[in-house]
Amino acid sequence: MHRDRPLWMRRLGWALHGFLRFVLIVSLLPYAWAKVFLSQMGLVDYADALYTVGEKSPMGLLWTFMAYSPTVQVLAGLAELAVAVLLVFRRTAWLGGLLGTVALGVVFLLNLLYDVPVKQLALALTVGLLIVALPELPRVARFVAGRPVGGLRQVPPLLPWPRVHAVARWLVPALGVLLVLAPGVGFPLVGGLPQQSSSELPGVYRVVADPAPPAPELAADRRWQEVAFGQWLGATGASRLTIRLANGDLIEGRYRPVRDGVVAVDLYPVLAGDRPLIREVERTVELTWNIRPDGTVALRGAGQDLVLASDPELRYLFDRDFSWAPTVPINR
């Protein structure tokens, strides 16, 4: 965008620059607000306790890492929101482009190495943000080198009518800010905020009593060995559930209370191979539960008559306290 180029060409170049910024803002917002409201990666829940590392997909491993720390997830979303706000204004768009190139470059690298399907989109956004920053990169390079940077680049008005331009120069940025912030109001209304169950049932349990006889072969033993009831409610009011069978199979599901001491459980097929995001429920059962005087949980229904005991080893990740003072590293 050199000054010796015709005025119409300079106007066209900056118009395309503005259009690219708009496209980038619209593309960033869903991911940014989803992180802020903890709906993209969610929250690590008790139901995650029964997965082994080997059962996770690369993407699932990354999602679990991000979901463990809500603070990291929210800060990542706020960083993307900051980039979107900076892109609204022409004078700060270069800074948004630079920050966004770094932020989305990291996202692209993670998507690439953890095989997240949107790696192509992340690459396109990274390149687009770099293009937004390009007009000011020579000045940034001179600043870093300690050389004079000169004044701001003179950008010709995109609209040739002075009165229209006088209104548009304020109206367009105002609409841009509204575009960035509006989803922050609507997102909780549509997706809701994470809510914690008030029930005493959520936890990670090991089966300590089961009257059912074992199968002749371990591979055919489908008795429940471990059960994890999640504590975070989804948009439908249901929480996640996982069951580890004696033969090693893992069953995922969701449960929701129907009345005191009774939950309805939707069970999916045994976890095996690739799975789609939307799955068909294999069967729905009702389970009754009550906490016994010794703290164990009696669970009945769907052919089960079990006694469950909370397992501190299986929920170690959730019970581990934070410590600022130097301590012996615990890397298990």
Side-chain angles (χ1 to χ4, degrees):
M1 300 180 186
H2 297 290
R3 294 183 183 181
D4 56 352
R5 291 179 179 174
L7 181 60
W8 70 267
M9 187 177 295
R10 293 170 58 199
R11 280 178 172 164
L12 176 61
W14 284 108
L16 293 175
H17 187 268
F19 179 73
L20 176 59
R21 285 155 47 200
F22 172 79
V23 171
L24 291 170
I25 291 171
V26 173
S27 301
L28 284 170
L29 288 181
Y31 295 99
W33 282 115
K35 291 183 181 72
V36 169
F37 289 110
L38 304 175
S39 65
Q40 183 176 4
M41 285 85 179
L43 292 165
V44 168
D45 205 349
Y46 292 138
D48 294 295
L50 300 190
Y51 292 91
T52 66
V53 173
E55 288 174 315
K56 286 282 187 180
S57 67
M59 178 178 173
L61 188 63
L62 175 61
W63 252 234
T64 302
F65 167 78
M66 290 293 293
Y68 179 74
S69 175
T71 302
V72 170
Q73 196 173 163
V74 171
L75 289 177
L78 291 177
E80 293 176 0
L81 278 179
V83 170
V85 172
L86 291 171
L87 291 177
V88 169
F89 305 96
R90 184 195 60 78
R91 290 178 180 269
T92 59
W94 68 272
L95 181 58
L98 280 180
L99 295 178
T101 299
V102 175
L104 270 295
V106 172
V107 171
F108 166 67
L109 187 62
L110 291 173
N111 288 350
L112 180 68
L113 300 180
Y114 287 85
D115 196 27
V116 181
V118 291
K119 56 180 76 68
Q120 297 85 355
L121 174 60
L123 177 60
L125 293 177
T126 303
V127 173
L129 288 162
L130 180 60
I131 292 174
V132 166
L134 278 178
E136 297 295 334
L137 285 185
R139 295 178 67 246
V140 174
R142 289 196 296 270
F143 174 79
V144 173
R147 298 166 55 192
V149 297
L152 288 173
R153 180 184 296 274
Q154 295 299 316
V155 178
L158 298 183
L159 301 174
W161 309 284
R163 291 185 178 180
V164 177
H165 174 71
V167 175
R169 64 180 298 187
W170 298 109
L171 180 61
V172 172
L175 292 176
V177 173
L178 181 62
L179 173 67
V180 173
L181 299 182
V185 178
F187 208 100
L189 300 178
V190 176
L193 298 175
Q195 294 186 2
Q196 198 168 12
S197 172
S198 59
S199 171
E200 296 180 271
L201 180 59
V204 188
Y205 303 94
R206 190 179 297 276
V207 176
V208 294
D210 183 357
E217 297 180 359
L218 180 59
D221 195 341
R222 295 184 57 80
R223 292 177 303 163
W224 293 12
Q225 186 178 47
E226 298 156 356
V227 187
F229 293 94
Q231 63 177 326
W232 294 103
L233 303 176
T236 61
S239 302
R240 294 171 54 217
L241 164 81
T242 47
I243 302 169
R244 178 72 66 180
L245 305 183
N247 66 359
D249 287 342
L250 184 70
I251 297 176
E252 301 170 304
R254 296 190 177 273
Y255 77 97
R256 59 192 179 279
V258 292
R259 54 186 180 275
D260 288 344
V262 180
V263 293
V265 180
D266 296 327
L267 296 174
Y268 299 114
V270 170
L271 182 66
D274 296 337
R275 70 172 192 197
L277 291 177
I278 301 177
R279 293 168 290 167
E280 293 292 332
V281 174
E282 186 175 62
R283 61 186 178 124
T284 300
V285 300
E286 280 196 357
L287 300 174
T288 62
W289 63 276
N290 67 280
I291 299 179
R292 309 196 317 176
D294 62 355
T296 59
V297 177
L299 190 70
R300 299 180 181 86
Q304 308 295 325
D305 185 6
L306 311 175
V307 177
L308 310 178
S310 181
D311 193 319
E313 292 303 315
L314 291 177
R315 55 180 288 168
Y316 184 83
L317 178 68
F318 307 94
D319 296 338
R320 176 84 176 109
D321 292 330
F322 170 80
S323 176
W324 178 259
T327 59
V328 178
I330 299 177
N331 187 2
R332 50 175 284 181

